[in-house]
C-alpha cells in the first residue's frame, strides 16, 4: 500500500508541475537575486585544481561522451506506469556510443545560496539564473557541462556511483504537495553542501538532490530550450543524465535554483 500511495502522489506532482509552470510563466522575469556562492556547507572543500577557476568554482576537464548506454540491472518500483522510473543498480561499466569531446570549464562546487541561511536559492527562473550568473562574471551551465560534471569520464549513472543511494543526498522526497504554500510544493531544501557524501567525481556537491538546477540545452540558441537537473522533489530525476523539461525560461517554483559555469583560464 505504501508504494502504491507513493506512485499515486508522484503522478499528482507530475501533473501539478505542469500547472505550476503555466502559472509562473505568466509572471515573467523578476529582479536579479542577491546570491552567495555555495556557502552554508558542512562539507569539506574538495582538493581539486582551482587555479584556473574562481575560488568558489572547481575545474572540470576531461573527455565527455555525448551518447551513453547505461543498462539497469534492477528497478526499484513495482510493475506499472512508473516501474522503469528509478533504477536500483546499473551495470558497470557504461558504454560510450558516440565520439568523445574534450571539455574544460569551471563550475560552482555548490548551488548558489541565500545570504545568511546557506540554503540554496529557490523560486528562481532560468532568466533569474542568467542575470545572477552574468552579474558574477559567469553564465548558466550548458546541459552537457552539468552532466559531465555530475558523472565524470566513467559515465556514472549517479554522481556517487552505480547503485542508487538516495539517502546520501537530499533526494527521493515523496510527501510533496502543500496546497497552502505559495507554489504548491513543500520546501525541502537543505543547506548547500550539507551532504558531503553526495559528491560527483569532481567533488561537486548536491548534483543529485536539493534544488532543481537550471541549464541550457546544447545545440540551440541560449534560453530557447531550458531544463532542470538534479532535485529533491521528483524521484525519477535523481540520475546525472535525467532532466526535467516542460517549463519555459520564466518558470519558477519552490524547487528551482541554479549553479553557474564559466570558462577556465
Amino acid at each position: 500500500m505504501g508504494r502504491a500511495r507513493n506512485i499515486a502522489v508522484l503522478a499528482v506532482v507530475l501533473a501539478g508541475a505542469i500547472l505550476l509552470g503555466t502559472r509562473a510563466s505568466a509572471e515573467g522575469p523578476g529582479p536579479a537575486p542577491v546570491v552567495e556562492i555555495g556557502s552554508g556547507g558542512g562539507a569539506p572543500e574538495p582538493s581539486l585544481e582551482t587555479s584556473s577557476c574562481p575560488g568558489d568554482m572547481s575545474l572540470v576537464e576531461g573527455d565527455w561522451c555525448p551518447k551513453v548506454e547505461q543498462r539497469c540491472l534492477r528497478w526499484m518500483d513495482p510493475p506499472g506506469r512508473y516501474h522503469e522510473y528509478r533504477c536500483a543498480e546499473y551495470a558497470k561499466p557504461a558504454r560510450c556510443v558516440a565520439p568523445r569531446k574534450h571539455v574544460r570549464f569551471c563550475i560552482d562546487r555548490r548551488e548558489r545560496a541565500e545570504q545568511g541561511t546557506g540554503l540554496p536559492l529557490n523560486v528562481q527562473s532560468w532568466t533569474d539564473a542568467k542575470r545572477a550568473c552574468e552579474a558574477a562574471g559567469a553564465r548558466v551551465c550548458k546541459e552537457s557541462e552539468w552532466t559531465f560534471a555530475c558523472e565524470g569520464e566513467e559515465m556514472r549513472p549517479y554522481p556517487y556511483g552505480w547503485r542508487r543511494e538516495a539517502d546520501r543526498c537530499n533526494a527521493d522526497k515523496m510527501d510533496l504537495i502543500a496546497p497552502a504554500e505559495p507554489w504548491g510544493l513543500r520546501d525541502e531544501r537543505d543547506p548547500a553542501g550539507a551532504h558531503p557524501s553526495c559528491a560527483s567525481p569532481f567533488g561537486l556537491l548536491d548534483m543529485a538532490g536539493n534544488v532543481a538546477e537550471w541549464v541550457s540545452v546544447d545545440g540551440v540558441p541560449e534560453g530557447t530550450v531550458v531544463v532542470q537537473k538534479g532535485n529533491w522533489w521528483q524521484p525519477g530525476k535523481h540520475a546525472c543524465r535525467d532532466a526535467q523539461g516542460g517549463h519555459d525560461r520564466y518558470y519558477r517554483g519552490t524547487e528551482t535554483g541554479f549553479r553557474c559555469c564559466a570558462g577556465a583560464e
Side-chain angles (χ1 to χ4, degrees):
M1 289 295 292
R3 283 191 172 185
R5 176 184 177 278
N6 288 343
I7 295 300
V9 170
L10 182 58
V12 172
V13 172
L14 289 171
I18 296 173
L19 295 175
L20 287 170
T22 302
R23 181 174 66 183
S25 297
E27 296 184 3
V34 177
V35 301
E36 188 172 41
I37 303 176
S39 61
E45 296 296 323
S47 57
L48 301 173
E49 178 190 345
T50 57
S51 59
S52 298
C53 300
D56 293 294
M57 288 184 160
S58 289
L59 178 68
V60 172
E61 183 170 12
D63 295 325
W64 146 254
C65 179
K67 188 175 181 180
V68 172
E69 284 186 359
Q70 294 172 331
R71 182 168 60 90
C72 184
L73 298 177
R74 54 190 178 92
W75 299 98
M76 292 181 63
D77 297 301
R81 181 178 178 182
Y82 298 107
H83 175 56
E84 297 185 2
Y85 207 61
R86 297 186 295 171
C87 183
E89 183 177 4
Y90 283 91
K92 185 179 179 179
R95 189 165 76 94
C96 183
V97 293
R100 288 182 179 262
K101 300 177 181 179
H102 190 77
V103 296
R104 188 172 188 269
F105 59 94
C106 303
I107 186 171
D108 287 340
R109 295 191 195 107
R110 305 182 182 96
E111 299 145 321
R112 295 268 164 154
E114 297 172 347
Q115 292 182 341
T117 70
L119 292 171
L121 285 160
N122 72 335
V123 193
Q124 300 295 303
S125 67
W126 180 90
T127 55
D128 293 332
K130 177 178 170 64
R131 281 194 297 271
C133 290
E134 289 181 352
R139 55 177 169 76
V140 177
C141 298
K142 299 176 184 177
E143 184 179 11
S144 62
E145 292 173 327
W146 195 102
T147 300
F148 184 60
C150 180
E151 70 182 13
E153 289 188 326
E154 196 178 19
M155 301 170 291
R156 296 178 182 179
Y158 302 115
Y160 47 78
W162 303 85
R163 295 183 179 182
R164 191 182 186 92
E165 301 177 69
D167 58 353
R168 296 176 63 149
C169 308
N170 178 24
D172 272 9
K173 304 291 186 180
M174 288 291 195
D175 187 13
L176 304 172
I177 304 299
E181 296 297 322
W183 301 95
L185 293 177
R186 296 187 189 282
D187 184 351
E188 295 281 0
R189 291 174 295 164
D190 283 343
H195 298 268
S197 62
C198 187
S200 81
F202 294 99
L204 309 173
L205 300 174
D206 296 322
M207 302 198 83
N210 238 13
V211 292
E213 301 177 23
W214 286 110
V215 296
S216 301
V217 171
D218 296 71
V220 296
E222 184 187 40
T224 305
V225 184
V226 297
V227 295
Q228 302 157 26
K229 303 281 285 184
N231 56 64
W232 84 72
W233 82 277
Q234 196 177 40
K237 304 303 178 186
H238 182 66
C240 293
R241 292 260 164 178
D242 288 337
Q244 169 65 34
H247 298 308
D248 65 18
R249 59 187 175 179
Y250 301 118
Y251 169 76
R252 54 171 71 93
T254 304
E255 78 284 11
T256 58
F258 62 95
R259 72 180 75 209
C260 303
C261 286
E265 294 181 2

